[in-house]
Amino acid sequence: MRATTRTGAAVCRAVNEAASQKIKTQSRWSLKNIVKDFKRHKVKYLMLTPVIVYFILFCYAPMYGAIIAFKDYSPLKGIWGSNWVGLSHFFDFFTSTYFRRVVGNTFIISLCDVIWGFPAPILLALLLNEIRGSAFKRIVQTASYMPHFISLVVVCGIIKNFVVTDGLFNDIVAFFGGTRVSMLQKPEMFRTIFVSTNIWQQIGWDSIIYVAALTGIDRQLYEAASIDGASRFKQTFYVTLPSLVPTIVVLLILRLGQILNVGFEKIILLYNESIYDTADVISSFVYRRGLQELDWSFSTAVGLFNSAVNCVFLIGANRATKMVSGLSLW
Amino acid sequence: MKRSIAKVFPLFGIVLMLSACVSQTTQDASKNKDSLDAKYPLQTSQTLTIWDKSQVNPAYTSYTEQPYYQELEKRTGIKAEYRFPTGDLHRESFNLMIASGELPDIINYDWLILPGGPEKYVKEGYIVCINEALEKYAPNLTGYLLENPDIDRMVKTDGGDYYCFPTLRGDETLNVYQGPIVRSDWLDELGLSTPETMDDWYAMLKAFKEKKGASAPLSYVNQYAFEGGFLAGSFGTKLGFYQQSGVIHYGPYEPQWKDFLVTLRRWYKEGLIDADIATIDSKMLASRITSGKTGAVLGSGGNIGQWLPTLLSYEPSSSLIGVPYPVLNRGETPMFSQLDNSYVFGGAAITSQCKNIELAARYLDYGYSEQGRMYHNFGIEGVSYNLVDDYPKYSDAILGANDFMSEATKYINTEMSIQDPRMYEQRLKYPQQKEAILAWVKSDAVKYLIPPIIPTEEESGEMTRMINDIDTAVREYLLKFVFGNESEATFDDYIKGLERDGIKRVLELKQASLDRYNYR
Amino acid sequence: MKKTRGENIFAYFNAVLMLLIAIISVYPIYYVLMGSFSDPVALMKHDGLLFLPAGFSLSAYSAVLDKPMILQGYRNTLIILVMGLALSIFLTSLGAYFLSQKGPLWRKPVLFFIITTMYINGGLVPTYLNLKALGMYNNYFALTVPFAINIFNLLIMRTAFEAVPLSLEESATIDGANEFFVLFRIIIPLSLPTIAVLLLYYGVAIWNSWFFGMILIQDRNLLPLQVILREILIQNETAALSGDAGGAINIAETVKYATIIISTVPILCAYPFLQRYFVSGIMIGAVKG
């Protein structure tokens, strides 16, 4: 088969590689090959240069700062002048009374967020695609991403208003005969509230990229499919979804590569001590530590720990998607 | 072993700290042969640079247009170039400034509460000891400190050094601003008198619930409600540290804490406390008290001023009053109240990069002179205030403004000087506000207040993790107990948990700081 | 094309569902809009849903808009936006182009090189010192150049580029076009929907950003809009929150809402212009493989 797009080419290659033994020539990275490669792709490397310079200047240059995770950083002594403490901040964190709890909560909330929150925008994009009237479609789409612009403080204010004993959600519960409950004081309800309000706020905005991807689908593919007798539903499954897969793969892998990053702002705005058991996450825990004393070393150490775990998930997700779909980030 | 070190340590500490204050001004005085005449406005063309934590009044694009700064320059005779951190990122801005090493002549910041304390910054050479500068060039501040030895103690380091021109509160009434607030019209209607004891409160809240239909008779923001000893004080405890005869205690570690929790749980179970008490924030609290869902709250004098207009808009006969902190038995004085020290944050320090310490000191000392104090608090006579029978009354523009501070801060600055209670009085629009303060001030809190002690860097580092865990455990247990998810049986486990988290060590360390303070 | 009964039912339910979603999504901004026009005194006791302003009042808007800095804030943000978008799209395209090519030996290493920066961060102090040293301080460059590339966006663009038929590229090269031409005149135009999305993502990020604006800009004439709005908000909140706020009518709440409306309305106006790129029909007439 001949691939028509670069994504197609990637799938082809993956198949070929799996089929035949990978005959890795050790000389692939030989000096001769490197020079040849530069000569052959001269312009490409030239075009790449500003990008490399950007990352070096703005990302790699300050990276040495991460070393304060191993030091007892004091702004007065500076980064190099501060005392070396090795892994003590890490041990501090691992042996903390709340370590298991906050790490566990972070994982659980994040996984729930991925399981429910990742497919939701895709679903919305697909459903939007099915709307016939273009005016109605535009209105719904515009409406759907509006919550994204409301600041978290206001959104959480609205949420709190709804979950109190005499709030809207409890009114609905009471209407259906249930008992009123102060929802943000029940540890078991926090996850649901957090994740579902995340979806509410972000579903529209996150769907934009999928909507855009959907417009790039060749109409003729649909025509061919319907000629073959496929129903709308089957068309969605066999034409629409597959063309979204490259985008989905990239975004999913990247999302899993952020697994421990549960943003503290929303947590802090919604939680209280009675639900720390399920609501206290790594970032909120570190934040409270920082209120006592701006402990940059500790938060950097925890950040490195987060990054390490995130990285593992990134690599794992990449490998998994490669096995399942042949596509991956690298 | 640890105990003896802790006892020896303060003495070590003092020795170390004394040595931190190298004679700075003698070097400096030799540079400036022509010392300035001590009369304002000074005749000089030299300038100063200042990094100030406060903000430019938003009505002006630049501070150079603001009347306060313009007039200040005229009065002191010194031109100062100000820099302000943008927005509320002053902590980060400050740290970045320190890290970059480019310091102005003067920095006005929260030196007292910075981690490691002010001594660290002196030792590392960022700000200078101003003992000699005060003596030579700051007669006004020096005079005030001589007259007020307890304040003098507050603004020094444990080693006895001065490090900044402090922002001070000039009167006790400025230190109390929060306490219980009640719907007095409801009290009248129900024939109840001002509640004094816990039993009074119980009866009052029950009446609110049953007769006024209040769904949440008592409400408060759980985060800070008990730090001032509201309700807990009647049992002789509060959520925080206090001192009794020179010994540091931690309220939630004391046995009385259990009695307090039991009562709180009972009130919650009977529906006298807001069912959503853990979720409530200040905005929701305002909504509850102004809509009649709540009849008693914990709030500030300022809150009364905010809530009354809304209440009065639809119930013209309503009123909110401040009532004393409740006690257990009638006739007792409340043990605690919310109470600040007169010196809370810090002030203006002179940095090591200042080339003319005398100029800086004289510039800052103006704020502590008679004239300067009037200026900082009231502004320009004839413009922002007028003397009416010797009482500085603000102009109509300021008194009538929607937001007093917005208008007033065009002309006044509450920092780097001594705050005058007459300024505060006029900020309060309603008589109930002033009376509330009087009701709250009646307590023994002053006896138990911990003065502004400064932990050393080592102590601070050791305590951070422990205090955080202890605080979390205390607050979690409180809510769980009140909601009925923990029983008295688990109280001992809770205490043991606090000990595991290091409460004893924290008490030791804080005791060391207090001992050093008392030795000053 | 004949529509089955199932399809009709589905279309009906879909429409209802979409309508529900639209209503639920619109509510927060509607609430904010109503709140911004409310009288703060009346709004204070209000609880629950807000369908009409609680007592009409323009006090929130006058509190925000009468500040002289607002116009300046808009101007600065617009300048930063134009600069930033141009730079971002340019650099991101270059990077995505390289990463989408299968040929170069260094493709994977470069990818790792870039992804690593997502995981290790130097922290605020080194970043700040570094930016100052590079001259990224107190000017418009400070708020555009260091934030030009977002790696998520970069990888999204790479995906879009990879979907462009190889044959197009090949036929162009055969015709003698150089790679710049290929990138800018063929690949990018064919990826317009994604470019439009990235313009939106980068644009909104720039529009909403305030943190580095606060830290890196000293000259008050250069402050972007969000910083100024935040300052106004803080001013009002401090007055309301501080323990001894004399009696200020608490306009912090309504000002918060007015601030959101003021900063969101321009975005909502800009969106329809980009939306038309999401309409299908642009990508047709490609060479069949």
Side-chain angles (χ1 to χ4, degrees):
Chain A
M1 58 180 163
R2 198 167 168 245
T4 53
T5 68
R6 241 158 281 135
T7 4
V11 176
C12 273
R13 197 171 359 106
V15 168
N16 286 335
E17 275 180 4
S20 62
Q21 293 288 343
K22 275 202 280 202
I23 308 165
K24 270 288 178 243
T25 53
Q26 290 139 311
S27 59
R28 193 158 159 228
W29 282 101
S30 69
L31 191 60
K32 181 164 144 235
N33 273 336
I34 293 180
V35 172
K36 198 165 87 175
D37 174 71
F38 268 112
K39 280 211 182 115
R40 195 159 146 221
H41 299 286
K42 203 173 16 180
V43 182
K44 293 195 178 77
Y45 283 111
L46 192 66
M47 292 164 86
L48 178 69
T49 318
V51 178
I52 298 287
V53 167
Y54 169 88
F55 280 105
I56 293 180
L57 278 185
F58 298 111
C59 301
Y60 278 93
M63 226 186 241
Y64 67 90
I67 211 172
I68 67 173
F70 305 98
K71 290 188 162 219
D72 198 9
Y73 177 68
S74 150
L76 296 175
K77 297 198 183 122
I79 294 182
W80 306 117
S82 297
N83 310 328
W84 186 265
V85 293
L87 296 174
S88 79
H89 291 299
F90 291 94
F91 283 140
D92 207 354
F93 180 51
F94 295 150
T95 58
S96 162
T97 328
Y98 301 108
F99 173 73
R100 266 217 210 114
R101 181 167 83 174
V102 296
V103 174
N105 286 342
T106 311
F107 261 119
I108 297 175
I109 291 180
S110 201
L111 278 170
C112 283
D113 199 48
V114 174
I115 293 173
W116 298 102
F118 188 80
I122 301 174
L123 205 58
L124 181 66
L126 291 173
L127 290 177
L128 275 172
N129 201 35
E130 297 298 317
I131 298 181
R132 294 288 89 203
S134 84
F136 183 54
K137 180 176 175 176
R138 278 211 188 161
I139 291 175
V140 174
Q141 200 188 5
T142 311
S144 71
Y145 68 72
M146 284 203 185
H148 173 81
F149 295 108
I150 315 283
S151 70
L152 263 179
V153 177
V154 174
V155 169
C156 290
I158 295 178
I159 296 173
K160 278 175 126 176
N161 232 304
F162 285 171
V163 301
V164 289
T165 319
D166 48 2
L168 180 68
F169 290 166
N170 273 306
D171 287 341
I172 297 177
V173 165
F175 180 75
F176 284 107
T179 40
R180 289 176 179 266
V181 121
S182 183
M183 297 183 179
L184 276 176
Q185 291 174 188
K186 297 274 168 216
E188 61 273 15
M189 299 193 71
F190 180 75
R191 223 165 283 139
T192 315
I193 297 177
F194 188 82
V195 172
S196 55
T197 51
N198 267 358
I199 297 177
W200 172 44
Q201 200 184 4
Q202 304 299 347
I203 189 175
W205 184 256
D206 290 344
S207 74
I208 292 181
I209 184 66
Y210 297 113
V211 168
L214 287 175
T215 64
I217 301 177
D218 199 342
R219 292 283 115 191
Q220 297 170 336
L221 288 170
Y222 284 116
E223 285 167 17
S226 84
I227 287 174
D228 284 349
S231 67
R232 281 298 287 268
F233 184 69
K234 280 228 177 93
Q235 286 175 32
T236 310
F237 207 69
Y238 286 109
V239 178
T240 319
L241 265 184
S243 37
L244 286 183
V245 164
T247 311
I248 292 179
V249 161
V250 167
L251 291 179
L252 182 63
I253 297 177
L254 286 176
R255 174 69 185 85
L256 287 173
Q258 307 266 310
I259 192 82
L260 283 187
N261 295 2
V262 175
F264 82 99
E265 215 190 322
K266 187 171 178 184
I267 298 273
I268 301 263
L269 285 169
L270 287 179
Y271 82 172
N272 60 72
E273 299 101 0
S274 67
I275 55 175
Y276 273 6
D277 280 332
T278 52
D280 199 17
V281 294
I282 297 176
S283 54
S284 54
F285 174 73
V286 171
Y287 174 77
R288 286 201 309 279
R289 269 286 284 264
L291 287 180
Q292 293 290 327
E293 166 167 338
L294 199 61
D295 199 349
W296 293 20
S297 277
F298 181 73
S299 56
T300 309
V302 175
L304 279 184
F305 165 75
N306 276 7
S307 283
V309 175
N310 284 342
C311 225
V312 168
F313 268 76
L314 181 81
I315 297 174
N318 192 62
R319 206 159 279 184
T321 48
K322 200 189 262 189
M323 279 197 290
V324 168
S325 69
L327 295 176
S328 58
L329 210 53
W330 66 80
Chain B
M1 187 61 186
K2 275 198 180 136
R3 200 158 296 204
S4 49
I5 288 185
K7 288 233 164 78
V8 172
F9 189 83
L11 297 172
F12 269 152
I14 291 169
V15 169
L16 284 171
M17 280 149 212
L18 275 177
S19 61
C21 199
V22 174
S23 180
Q24 311 271 0
T25 48
T26 42
Q27 306 167 303
D28 166 77
S30 59
K31 283 191 219 153
N32 294 307
K33 292 293 178 190
D34 46 335
S35 209
L36 301 159
D37 199 7
K39 253 185 70 164
Y40 298 107
L42 302 173
Q43 307 297 328
T44 176
S45 58
Q46 294 178 46
T47 59
L48 292 169
T49 51
I50 308 183
W51 187 93
D52 191 343
K53 181 188 95 186
S54 50
Q55 298 288 301
V56 184
N57 187 299
Y60 304 100
T61 329
S62 156
Y63 76 92
T64 48
E65 297 166 18
Q66 194 169 331
Y68 167 78
Y69 292 103
Q70 290 173 336
E71 181 73 13
L72 187 65
E73 190 179 312
K74 276 196 223 138
R75 292 193 178 203
T76 55
I78 301 171
K79 183 161 162 42
E81 203 184 288
Y82 278 81
R83 263 179 51 206
F84 306 94
T86 324
D88 52 349
L89 294 181
H90 53 81
R91 232 348 153 77
E92 284 87 349
S93 286
F94 176 78
N95 278 309
L96 291 176
M97 179 172 62
I98 296 287
S100 71
E102 292 163 14
L103 306 175
D105 295 321
I106 298 173
I107 299 179
N108 176 32
Y109 199 52
D110 304 335
W111 298 105
L112 182 64
I113 56 179
L114 283 176
E119 277 135 331
K120 208 165 96 156
Y121 290 83
V122 175
K123 242 198 302 181
E124 302 283 342
Y126 283 83
I127 60 176
V128 300
C129 250
I130 50 176
N131 298 2
E132 287 195 34
L134 286 185
E135 221 182 307
K136 288 206 187 115
Y137 313 119
N140 296 304
L141 177 60
T142 315
Y144 182 81
L145 292 177
L146 275 173
E147 287 166 31
N148 297 278
D150 44 331
I151 305 248
D152 182 57
R153 217 188 219 179
M154 288 183 194
V155 304
K156 287 199 283 225
T157 64
D158 289 330
D161 300 324
Y162 298 95
Y163 53 90
C164 76
F165 283 77
T167 298
L168 297 170
R169 299 193 187 159
D171 189 270
E172 271 161 6
T173 56
L174 292 171
N175 293 331
V176 176
Y177 45 79
Q178 194 186 72
I181 297 173
V182 163
R183 284 285 296 266
S184 55
D185 55 314
W186 286 11
L187 289 179
D188 293 335
E189 207 186 299
L190 296 169
L192 296 167
S193 56
T194 311
E196 286 169 9
T197 67
M198 290 293 274
D199 289 331
D200 290 342
W201 273 79
Y202 182 76
M204 173 184 76
L205 293 177
K206 258 209 135 60
F208 282 173
K209 186 178 178 69
E210 285 158 10
K211 307 223 178 81
K212 291 302 290 179
S215 57
L218 171 64
S219 193
Y220 47 80
V221 177
N222 187 57
Q223 259 323 92
Y224 55 72
F226 305 117
E227 290 168 10
F230 175 57
L231 300 183
S234 60
F235 296 98
T237 179
K238 69 172 211 168
L239 202 165
F241 294 92
Y242 62 93
Q243 55 112 350
Q244 198 161 10
S245 323
V247 178
I248 300 251
H249 291 261
Y250 185 57
Y253 186 51
E254 308 276 313
Q256 311 92 293
W257 187 253
K258 191 206 278 197
D259 302 323
F260 163 60
L261 289 183
V262 169
T263 306
L264 209 60
R265 181 179 62 187
R266 190 173 125 227
W267 287 17
Y268 184 80
K269 194 147 172 239
E270 297 188 28
L272 302 178
I273 298 182
D274 197 328
D276 302 300
I277 197 64
T279 320
I280 299 288
D281 58 22
S282 52
K283 172 167 160 252
M284 296 171 94
L285 189 66
S287 149
R288 271 161 156 64
I289 185 74
T290 52
S291 62
K293 286 199 184 118
T294 298
V297 297
L298 184 76
S300 69
N303 287 146
I304 296 182
Q306 284 164 18
W307 298 335
L308 271 180
T310 305
L311 259 184
L312 294 171
S313 72
Y314 73 99
E315 250 184 271
S317 57
S318 61
S319 180
L320 291 169
I321 58 167
V323 303
Y325 282 80
V327 292
L328 203 51
N329 305 307
R330 201 169 304 278
E332 284 176 356
T333 314
M335 184 170 163
F336 297 110
S337 75
Q338 173 271 327
L339 183 64
D340 279 356
N341 280 300
S342 295
Y343 174 58
V344 195
F345 296 115
I350 303 181
T351 68
S352 50
Q353 291 184 14
C354 178
K355 307 246 182 335
N356 194 338
I357 294 191
E358 183 187 340
L359 191 68
R362 290 206 194 274
Y363 180 75
L364 293 171
D365 192 49
Y366 178 73
Y368 301 88
S369 63
E370 279 282 342
Q371 251 196 330
R373 286 171 64 168
M374 285 301 279
Y375 182 64
H376 268 256
N377 283 293
F378 303 104
I380 308 169
E381 185 172 356
V383 178
S384 57
Y385 79 96
N386 291 296
L387 276 178
V388 177
D389 293 327
D390 244 9
Y391 185 91
K393 185 154 176 272
Y394 287 105
S395 68
D396 293 330
I398 293 179
L399 286 177
N402 223 10
D403 181 3
F404 176 95
M405 280 314 263
S406 266
E407 193 61 33
T409 50
K410 292 180 183 168
Y411 303 95
I412 71 174
N413 184 351
T414 54
E415 301 205 6
M416 298 182 282
S417 177
I418 303 159
Q419 290 172 4
D420 195 317
R422 293 172 297 182
M423 181 269 279
Y424 187 69
E425 274 167 14
Q426 295 181 65
R427 275 177 85 176
L428 305 175
K429 278 205 175 113
Y430 300 95
Q432 294 100 313
Q433 293 177 289
K434 299 181 189 141
E435 283 153 19
I437 310 275
L438 295 175
W440 297 331
V441 129
K442 291 199 201 101
S443 81
D444 284 336
V446 148
K447 275 200 261 177
Y448 301 99
L449 180 65
I450 297 182
I453 58 179
I454 306 177
T456 65
E457 196 174 352
E458 292 83 8
E459 289 171 349
S460 201
E462 210 190 318
M463 277 199 292
T464 304
R465 171 207 175 142
M466 295 190 281
I467 287 193
N468 193 47
D469 286 350
I470 290 167
D471 191 64
T472 306
V474 164
R475 289 174 185 276
E476 274 195 68
Y477 190 74
L478 186 145
L479 281 178
K480 285 184 179 155
F481 196 96
V482 166
F483 290 162
N485 298 331
E486 296 276 1
S487 70
E488 281 96 317
T490 55
F491 191 78
D492 290 326
D493 289 331
Y494 151 77
I495 293 284
K496 289 212 191 79
L498 290 185
E499 286 172 2
R500 263 200 317 270
D501 287 332
I503 183 64
K504 289 202 174 133
R505 180 73 182 134
V506 171
L507 287 170
E508 255 174 36
L509 293 172
K510 283 212 178 259
Q511 189 66 47
S513 298
L514 182 63
D515 292 338
R516 285 198 307 273
Y517 180 90
N518 288 329
Y519 195 78
R520 287 188 197 171
Chain C
M1 196 163 50
K2 179 164 55 117
K3 278 204 209 153
T4 70
R5 186 146 160 262
E7 281 172 9
N8 277 334
I9 297 179
F10 169 77
Y12 176 70
F13 272 118
N14 192 29
V16 171
L17 180 64
M18 291 292 106
L19 191 63
L20 265 172
I21 290 182
I23 293 175
I24 297 179
S25 300
V26 158
Y27 177 71
I29 198 138
Y30 181 75
Y31 176 89
V32 167
L33 188 67
M34 293 296 108
S36 68
F37 284 109
S38 295
D39 175 23
V41 168
L43 187 64
M44 187 180 282
K45 73 170 166 60
H46 185 92
D47 209 12
L49 300 172
L50 199 57
F51 289 118
L52 286 173
F56 189 80
S57 161
L58 290 173
S59 59
Y61 284 101
S62 64
V64 177
L65 293 174
D66 74 354
K67 300 289 183 296
M69 299 281 291
I70 291 277
L71 271 177
Q72 230 162 348
Y74 268 113
R75 184 200 70 173
N76 289 328
T77 298
L78 277 173
I79 295 177
I80 294 169
L81 193 67
V82 170
M83 272 180 73
L85 282 178
L87 193 62
S88 288
I89 297 290
F90 179 67
L91 282 179
T92 311
S93 308
L94 290 180
Y97 178 69
F98 181 84
L99 290 176
S100 66
Q101 297 291 318
K102 297 310 176 195
L105 208 55
W106 291 87
R107 190 180 59 97
K108 250 198 200 171
V110 166
L111 184 65
F112 288 136
F113 178 77
I114 291 177
I115 291 187
T116 309
T117 66
M118 276 170 57
Y119 288 93
I120 308 185
N121 190 327
L124 185 59
V125 172
T127 305
Y128 173 79
L129 294 175
N130 184 49
L131 288 177
K132 266 192 106 167
L134 290 170
M136 300 284 131
Y137 183 78
N138 218 16
N139 53 43
Y140 289 126
F141 294 111
L143 299 180
T144 52
V145 180
F147 312 101
I149 302 184
N150 173 305
I151 300 178
F152 264 78
N153 294 351
L154 177 67
L155 292 171
I156 290 176
M157 205 185 257
R158 179 188 80 157
T159 308
F161 286 1
E162 285 174 344
V164 173
L166 260 172
S167 50
L168 283 172
E169 224 181 301
E170 287 168 359
S171 50
T173 321
I174 289 171
D175 286 347
N178 73 35
E179 308 225 38
F180 282 98
F181 185 88
V182 171
L183 172 61
F184 289 105
R185 303 297 236 108
I186 297 182
I187 297 185
I188 286 189
L190 288 177
S191 313
L192 268 185
T194 306
I195 302 278
V197 171
L198 291 189
L199 275 173
L200 190 65
Y201 281 1
Y202 275 126
V204 169
I206 293 174
W207 186 266
N208 285 341
S209 71
W210 54 272
F211 184 81
F212 280 99
M214 279 189 181
I215 301 244
L216 294 173
I217 305 287
Q218 199 48 47
D219 184 352
R220 288 187 69 80
N221 288 317
L222 296 177
L223 290 177
L225 181 67
Q226 288 296 338
V227 172
I228 295 180
L229 290 178
R230 265 188 100 87
E231 275 193 349
I232 295 176
L233 195 58
I234 292 162
Q235 217 90 30
N236 282 296
E237 273 181 354
T238 326
L241 281 179
S242 76
D244 44 17
I249 305 279
N250 184 3
I251 59 171
E253 204 56 34
T254 49
V255 163
K256 208 189 315 186
Y257 300 140
T259 319
I260 295 178
I261 298 289
I262 288 175
S263 54
T264 310
V265 162
I267 304 180
L268 296 179
C269 290
Y271 180 72
F273 292 109
L274 289 173
Q275 198 178 24
R276 76 172 111 104
Y277 290 102
F278 303 162
V279 175
S280 65
I282 294 196
M283 158 89 186
I284 321 182
V287 174
K288 287 224 189 114

